[in-house]
Amino acid sequence: MTTVVTPPALEILVREPDGFSLWNGPPFTNDQPSVKLERAPCKSAGFSEDGSKLMVMKSESVISIYDCSSYKEIRSFEVPNVLAAILSPCGTYLQTFQKSTTPQEKNVVLWIIETGDSVYQLFQKNMTKTTWPSIRFSSDEAVACRLATNQIHFFDAGDLSRGIINRLRIPGVAALELSKTTGSHVAAFVPESKGVPASVQIFACAKDLQSQPLARRSFFRCSSVQLSWNNGSTGLLVVVQSDVDKTNQSYYGESKLNYLTTDGTHEGLVPLRKEGPVHDVQWSYSGSEFAVVYGFMPAKATVFDKKCNPLLELGTGPYNTIRWNPKGKFLCLAGFGNLPGDMAFWDYLEKKQLGATKAEWSVTSEWSPDGRYFMTATTAPRLQVDNGIKIFHPNGSLYYKKMFDKLYQADWKPESPDRFGEIAELVKSVGSMKIEESKPQGQAKKSSQAAAKPTTAIPPAQKPAAYRPPHAKSAAAVQAQLFGGSPSEQMSKNALKNKKKRDKQREKKAAEDASAANDA
């Protein structure tokens, strides 16, 4: 007899100025979410990567840990002057960073949540994106390491009280990234120094295999990198960013996308088909494909396989963000930040676009763990007005919307996608749903009969172009290349109109001069 495993319920963490609360996720009863955990005051909150623990920083010195199966407090830590705290991926450890005045004061502490004991301490002068968390864990907590001066220190993940068990020397190393499941490899970034180009190297985490890097790639004109491992720990994507664009095509420097494999079969550039920056890149959950948004606006989006062969072109548009559904079926292309918030939803398996909509002023965006809903949030302090949450279906239709006076955080509770069933039933529901166009706020919904009728999108009327003097034509062409658009038609009309004006003025002046000469 086959045992039917009930998938876990979706949950949403919402944090406002007066504290955090937990909602039961969609589908909602009566189109409104119910509260699973009542609002409680806090400064910050966050789940462990596997969703088993919830960390709540209640004040500058009190951190509480909750078991997510019952949401009962299982441990409380008194940590004076704490500035930051984070849970390990499986919720085994709590890592805290405190204010420190002297190097003798060890201000980074690793705590065992089960016992509440301190298992390791060290001193760290400051906290940056590359140095926090100080001790990094792989997703399965099989490997633990930290970045040190010219070295990477490895720990016994099962017993960190043993301290450092291995030191990997890499002169000039400035950043590292542990591979995900499994935690078998580590990528190290060494910036440029004294004419020596920057490089990214891949090493095995096992001490016996660290004599030589498994893969290496050097870069000229490299200021920083973004490192992204796939699930399976076989491939590494490296976005190389330079502060200066020597072609003078962008104020924001230039960026290139490189791909390295742990078996050394591929070390080189990903063949992108449009010039311009790399806006975003993300692996699929299977680790067999990755999607890239790149190029000057309107940006281009392409899905590649593990051999960098293009599999699917997702078109062009005002996009700088890509989010891959955890089940690998749906993709969302979006333009957030300084872009107007356009979103396009694609069915990757069927190779077709499902719908398009807008989510203006979105700060965060993510798929639900089961892959059935896409949530965007406008949060403070990035934006102080129009804070709110929007949840969409995979075809772009709006499922739920709620506005807040001020919203600091909105996150799905993490769950493994393997705990949810396949999306066979979702495919049927998507087929029955109508792809709705985005509507301005306050516009009444159409009746069900009208909604059932097919509609044709009417392109917006083009606004007349602003006058540009003749010497600005080249600047307009560059602007069109950077930001998208083809002003050639409007420019030709304006130029023709101005030319006629000038011709009439010349004829009038010539007639006046001829009349004056005859009178003389």
Side-chain angles (χ1 to χ4, degrees), residues 381-401:
R382 178 73 163 78
L383 288 173
Q384 299 289 347
V385 296
D386 296 319
N387 286 189
I389 294 173
K390 294 179 181 178
I391 300 178
F392 298 88
H393 286 294
N395 67 348
S397 60
L398 183 63
Y399 175 73
Y400 176 76
K401 177 180 177 181

Side-chain angles (χ1 to χ4, degrees), residues 5-13 22-26 36 46-54 66-71 89-90 139 181 231 285 324-328 366-373 411-421:
V5 179
T6 304
L10 298 178
E11 297 172 12
I12 301 174
L13 170 68
L22 277 172
W23 295 357
N24 287 306
K36 186 178 184 70
F47 291 101
S48 60
E49 190 177 307
D50 66 349
S52 63
K53 303 289 192 304
L54 171 65
Y66 293 82
D67 184 346
C68 290
S69 60
S70 61
Y71 286 106
C90 297
S139 296
T181 307
N231 284 329
Y285 181 72
W324 206 312
N325 159 287
K327 288 294 184 179
E366 195 54 70
W367 286 96
S368 60
D370 66 349
R372 300 172 184 233
Y373 303 94
D411 293 329
W412 298 103
K413 176 194 169 187
E415 294 284 358
S416 171
D418 297 332
R419 298 186 64 186
F420 298 92

Side-chain angles (χ1 to χ4, degrees), residues 175-194:
L176 65 86
E177 187 70 24
L178 265 175
S179 62
K180 297 183 179 179
T181 307
T182 59
S184 54
H185 298 82
V186 61
F189 168 63
V190 179
E192 295 181 63
S193 177
K194 300 178 181 179

Side-chain angles (χ1 to χ4, degrees), residues 301-324:
T302 307
V303 178
F304 295 89
D305 64 12
K306 289 198 296 185
K307 296 183 179 180
C308 293
N309 299 315
L311 299 176
L312 178 64
E313 294 290 349
L314 303 177
T316 60
Y319 305 128
N320 60 4
T321 303
I322 192 159
R323 294 288 182 266
W324 206 312

